[in-house]
Amino acid sequence: MKRKRIKDEPAVKKEDGEHPVSQKPKRTKEETKEARVKKKEEEEKSRWRWWEEEKYEDGVKWKFLEHNGPFFPPEYQPLPDNVHFYYAGNKVKLSLAAEEVGLFFAQMLDHEYTTKKVFRENFFTDWRKEMTHEERKLIKDLDKCNFTELFAMHKARVEARKLMTKEEKLAVKEANQKIVDEYGYCLLDHHKERIGNFKIEPPGLFRGRGEHPKQGMLKTRILPKQVIINCTKESRVPVAPAGHNWKEVRHDNTVTWLASWTENIQGSIKYIMLNANSKLKGEKDWEKYEVARKLKSCVDNIRKQYDQDLKSKQMKTRQRAVALYFIDKLALRAGNEKDEGETADTVGCCSLRVEHITLHEKLDGSECVVEFDFLGKDCIRYYNKVPVIKKNLNIFMENKSPGDDVFDRLTTVLLNKHLSSLMPGLSAKVFRTYNASITLQQQLKELSNKSDNEPEKLLSYNRANRAVAILCNHQRAAPKTFDQSMANLQAKIDARKEKLSLAKTELKQAKKDAKKSSPEPKPHPLVERKMAAVQRCEELLLKMEVQATDKEENKQISLGTSKLNYLDPRISVAWCRNMVVPVDKIYNKSQRDKFAWALDMTEADFEF
DNA sequence: CTTTTCACTTAGTATATAAAAT
DNA sequence: ATTTTATATACTAAGTGAAAAG
């Protein structure tokens, strides 16, 4: 209301009159800005402030849930007549099913996957299952298959998509938006909530991480008759696509999912659930950090106890103590058992094997050093050398083969049972959350200064974030263009440095000239201007140098995972308030939405 | 007890979109 | 205006851990 009136104030008109040239752009700029502010306000008003409401009784996740069911991927479109598959040099017209799966492989031909033996064998086995009897009789060797034309077609399609006109792109965008509008939202207890993954996963070739024994297998198309729907009985129950039926419609308000199906590779269940900014996800997230904060108050005692247990006569207790020490000190994951042959060979703390650990009497000046080298979640390598006091591991590893478990008397179930007896809600993963968050808080305190300028403050924040990412071993592949873009940045810095020195000489000259013309030390416009130019140059240079440092340090480290999953957002928000840094410098839009509860409730004096 | 099932969080990468540079 | 580069989002695999089933 107020804002609208301001727009018509005479003051603005007067200003416009003074600068007739800038009138038009200025006005539209102001208008869009205003629209943005208005939109923001509206969004704020419609936001569900669930954190101010009372919690439901135990186990109840919702009282009313209505949605339109999942969105199914489009059905397969057969190849155009001018694109052919060849076997042993001969043109072969494949059946629809075989053609579809063949195309999955053809599309990946420029990917390393398709050169791997396991991938090729798994693919070929599953592909043959899709073939007709005749096809199977003919096609017996993947090496004799020629997918060149299918591959070329795929490449051309990708290229064509890039070259679409603006109108075509807009049309695609609108079509996608329509799908989101129809399937992307649900109604949960009177509030419209965004669904996280409302699309059924399309068929394709399974791509596991690392040396996955099932890579290349066919991930089959999901039909409505395989899908279970979950919603309120009295709601508008989603209708299955024409000619199809759901596997089941149930009304279970003790779970948060809207639909589920069983995937054919591992036989595990996939769920359709709400977006991270929803109440159901947010509340759980908040709870997670509250449990971690509770650990803060009793972690000293727990540490004392496992320190004592290191000397226990009971081997079981001793192993538990060592494992707990690793989990606490090194932020290792629990390490549940995995089915051999079904998944890639990765381990966590409790599943560590003798071959993953090397003991050194002496290393790099320290005595009794443990060297870890193993593949963890997602086949990310964990490599670390840690000095320890006691020689427990020696005993655990005595008379064992490389493939034997280090902790043969310990399982994650045993460990977690012990932990939950020490504190309600405590399990191995809570240590990761706790140590990540407390590290961020300590590092922020240590690294940042109120007197720093904004880029420096943000560098400190990133460095604190980075300390956590390193602790949790959150890695990423170095960006493909890393070296190039680093060099570009360096070139820009060099160019700026030259500009700065030039500006400095000009300033000196201007000062000299000013002195000559009037000996009194009164302000001189030219000197003022040159001074400002030098300062601006210095600021820009600093900003770029900070950026370069940040970039280099981040080359193979991923900050996002800890930011999103391990760091209590209230620590970051409190830091922003303290340092007078806008929250949107550290959290983008969707992150602010996810952490809306923290943004709303956190004061500058929050302590984790 | 052990094994299996289920529900949910955590994870890195591929792709789309926005921002910056030319 | 177009191309390049950076950032955000989409995707789905891979974990954790509690509870049910055997």
Side-chain angles (χ1 to χ4, degrees):
Chain A
M1 287 285 208
K2 259 185 210 160
R3 288 178 192 284
K4 255 184 198 159
R5 226 181 308 129
I6 287 168
K7 208 174 94 179
D8 299 328
E9 291 283 352
V12 175
K13 269 186 191 156
K14 196 174 152 195
E15 198 192 33
D16 281 353
E18 277 173 7
H19 310 280
V21 184
S22 67
Q23 183 178 351
K24 218 175 171 188
K26 201 163 195 178
R27 197 163 271 158
T28 52
K29 224 181 207 173
E30 255 169 37
E31 269 168 14
T32 55
K33 191 181 170 189
E34 211 160 286
R36 230 180 295 137
V37 168
K38 218 163 149 193
K39 202 178 153 200
K40 211 172 163 186
E41 278 173 356
E42 251 161 50
E43 246 175 48
E44 207 46 57
K45 231 189 271 171
S46 72
R47 168 166 284 140
W48 182 7
R49 302 169 66 85
W50 49 262
W51 51 92
E52 290 173 348
E53 293 178 14
E54 212 164 308
K55 287 187 180 152
Y56 290 159
E57 58 265 47
D58 248 13
V60 173
K61 303 289 166 63
W62 45 265
K63 306 276 171 97
F64 183 87
L65 174 61
E66 184 172 76
H67 57 93
N68 291 340
F71 175 80
F72 286 86
E75 43 184 307
Y76 176 65
Q77 300 298 316
L79 292 179
D81 291 333
N82 60 343
V83 178
H84 307 105
F85 166 75
Y86 299 86
Y87 186 75
N90 302 314
K91 202 181 278 183
V92 178
K93 172 82 187 152
L94 295 170
S95 64
L96 207 63
E99 185 185 285
E100 179 180 12
V101 177
L103 184 56
F104 290 152
F105 188 81
Q107 286 173 339
M108 296 175 75
L109 235 39
D110 54 353
H111 200 293
E112 202 206 331
Y113 271 119
T114 55
T115 64
K116 290 194 177 177
K117 189 163 176 269
V118 180
F119 190 96
R120 293 173 71 87
E121 281 173 2
N122 282 336
F123 158 70
F124 198 57
T125 305
D126 279 3
W127 189 28
R128 279 172 55 84
K129 287 180 201 156
E130 299 301 309
M131 292 176 187
T132 63
H133 195 69
E134 281 71 38
E135 285 166 344
R136 207 162 20 242
K137 234 162 71 187
L138 173 71
I139 302 170
K140 292 191 163 162
D141 183 359
L142 182 54
D143 291 327
K144 292 188 180 144
C145 294
N146 180 346
F147 297 101
T148 320
E149 289 188 12
L150 314 215
F151 179 65
M153 176 196 74
H154 173 248
K155 281 280 156 205
R157 281 180 181 176
V158 170
E159 206 48 40
R161 200 159 353 122
K162 273 192 214 152
L163 295 174
M164 281 190 302
T165 64
K166 241 179 212 155
E167 292 73 34
E168 287 169 323
K169 279 182 183 162
L170 190 70
V172 169
K173 203 174 166 186
E174 275 170 358
N176 284 334
Q177 188 56 47
K178 220 177 135 191
I179 294 169
V180 173
D181 290 344
E182 183 163 359
Y183 294 96
Y185 297 87
C186 71
L187 201 57
L188 190 139
D189 295 340
H190 310 298
H191 297 270
K192 191 172 168 183
E193 296 256 61
R194 182 83 199 260
I195 301 169
N197 58 326
F198 56 89
K199 288 179 177 166
I200 297 271
E201 292 172 19
L205 302 185
F206 177 74
R207 306 155 79 125
R209 316 269 169 102
E211 292 305 312
H212 202 294
K214 299 199 170 185
Q215 63 188 106
M217 281 175 65
L218 173 64
K219 188 166 109 169
T220 53
R221 183 178 288 274
I222 303 301
L223 299 170
K225 68 174 179 201
Q226 301 167 266
V227 174
I228 303 173
I229 298 291
N230 192 32
C231 64
T232 299
K233 209 170 190 171
E234 293 74 30
S235 74
R236 207 169 27 73
V237 174
V239 183
H244 293 272
N245 288 306
W246 303 120
K247 177 182 184 184
E248 183 192 336
V249 176
R250 67 172 74 158
H251 313 288
D252 182 357
N253 75 349
T254 70
V255 295
T256 65
W257 52 268
L258 321 191
S260 72
W261 72 91
T262 302
E263 147 275 336
N264 71 299
I265 303 288
Q266 312 280 358
S268 65
I269 310 169
K270 298 260 182 167
Y271 300 95
I272 284 182
M273 288 184 191
L274 295 186
N275 188 274
N277 65 13
S278 64
K279 175 201 175 185
L280 285 174
K281 294 287 186 192
E283 207 166 49
K284 199 79 187 295
D285 212 31
W286 183 18
E287 215 175 276
K288 174 181 77 186
Y289 291 115
E290 286 308 302
V291 172
R293 289 175 85 197
K294 219 160 56 181
L295 174 56
K296 187 192 176 186
S297 66
C298 60
V299 75
D300 288 342
N301 281 329
I302 290 174
R303 283 172 177 161
K304 244 179 249 163
Q305 191 182 343
Y306 72 62
D307 272 342
Q308 272 181 0
D309 286 347
L310 289 171
K311 297 165 221 144
S312 169
K313 281 187 214 99
Q314 280 242 296
M315 202 43 70
K316 228 170 148 174
T317 311
R318 243 193 227 212
Q319 291 196 353
R320 193 181 68 200
V322 173
L324 203 40
Y325 173 81
F326 289 162
I327 284 169
D328 185 19
K329 174 104 188 264
L330 308 176
L332 298 193
R333 295 188 185 81
N336 282 313
E337 236 180 308
K338 303 175 67 178
D339 322 359
E340 213 174 321
E342 300 285 302
T343 56
D345 180 18
T346 62
V347 296
C349 185
C350 293
S351 50
L352 278 169
R353 297 192 299 264
V354 173
E355 61 195 310
H356 299 130
I357 290 181
T358 315
L359 296 176
H360 301 275
E361 294 279 336
K362 243 180 185 160
L363 188 72
D364 307 333
S366 310
E367 274 179 37
C368 207
V369 175
V370 191
E371 185 182 357
F372 293 89
D373 192 353
F374 62 88
L375 296 182
K377 184 179 181 179
D378 295 307
C379 287
I380 298 296
R381 184 179 181 210
Y382 183 91
Y383 183 80
N384 202 0
K385 293 181 230 171
V386 195
V388 291
I389 319 147
K390 268 272 167 192
K391 294 190 177 177
N392 264 320
L393 283 170
N394 260 327
I395 304 168
F396 301 163
M397 290 161 66
E398 246 168 32
N399 303 319
K400 280 186 189 170
S401 320
D404 291 341
D405 286 344
V406 174
F407 303 112
D408 52 301
R409 312 275 174 96
L410 185 69
T411 65
T412 53
V413 175
L414 247 34
L415 178 67
N416 282 332
K417 282 225 173 95
H418 172 67
L419 289 175
S420 69
S421 79
L422 299 179
M423 185 196 106
L426 187 61
S427 63
K429 79 194 273 280
V430 179
F431 281 88
R432 260 168 92 82
T433 311
Y434 162 72
N435 280 311
S437 285
I438 203 79
T439 300
L440 179 76
Q441 185 166 280
Q442 284 163 354
Q443 289 291 306
L444 284 176
K445 204 176 262 175
E446 225 166 274
L447 297 174
S448 51
N449 303 104
K450 265 187 152 155
S451 55
D452 283 351
N453 61 27
E454 199 172 275
E456 288 169 331
K457 284 177 182 172
L458 290 171
L459 176 63
S460 301
Y461 182 87
N462 277 346
R463 283 185 160 156
N465 192 167
R466 195 143 47 233
V468 176
I470 289 167
L471 175 72
C472 293
N473 200 224
H474 291 142
Q475 301 188 27
R476 61 165 186 181
K480 279 193 193 83
T481 55
F482 185 87
D483 290 338
Q484 182 58 55
S485 77
M486 202 67 212
N488 289 350
L489 188 57
Q490 195 53 53
K492 266 167 68 183
I493 287 173
D494 293 343
R496 180 55 61 182
K497 272 183 183 161
E498 261 178 50
K499 264 191 190 163
L500 178 62
S501 71
L502 182 68
K504 274 183 177 165
T505 0
E506 281 181 6
L507 174 62
K508 252 185 212 158
Q509 190 58 48
K511 272 182 180 166
K512 234 188 227 167
D513 294 349
K515 226 177 208 169
K516 258 189 231 159
S517 63
S518 63
E520 302 105 279
K522 69 172 184 189
H524 193 285
L526 185 67
V527 173
E528 298 270 298
R529 240 182 311 136
K530 291 294 176 193
M531 216 129 87
V534 168
Q535 204 187 344
R536 232 173 53 83
C537 248
E538 277 173 339
E539 272 169 17
L540 276 170
L541 183 62
L542 180 74
K543 197 175 165 185
M544 283 194 291
E545 279 174 335
V546 160
Q547 198 189 349
T549 311
D550 209 31
K551 202 184 174 102
E552 184 64 48
E553 290 177 3
N554 249 2
K555 184 174 179 181
Q556 280 170 297
I557 295 169
S558 157
L559 299 186
T561 306
S562 51
K563 204 176 196 176
L564 241 45
N565 301 300
Y566 287 100
L567 301 176
D568 188 329
R570 291 168 297 185
I571 298 168
S572 298
V573 174
W575 179 84
C576 283
R577 309 261 192 261
N578 259 316
M579 292 286 150
V580 201
V581 169
V583 176
D584 57 2
K585 296 286 179 199
I586 59 165
Y587 287 141
N588 67 30
K589 177 76 170 68
S590 56
Q591 291 165 340
R592 292 197 298 277
D593 279 349
K594 167 172 175 163
F595 297 133
W597 57 274
L599 263 64
D600 184 61
M601 66 170 73
T602 309
E603 314 269 344
D605 63 352
F606 172 83
E607 189 159 344
F608 177 76

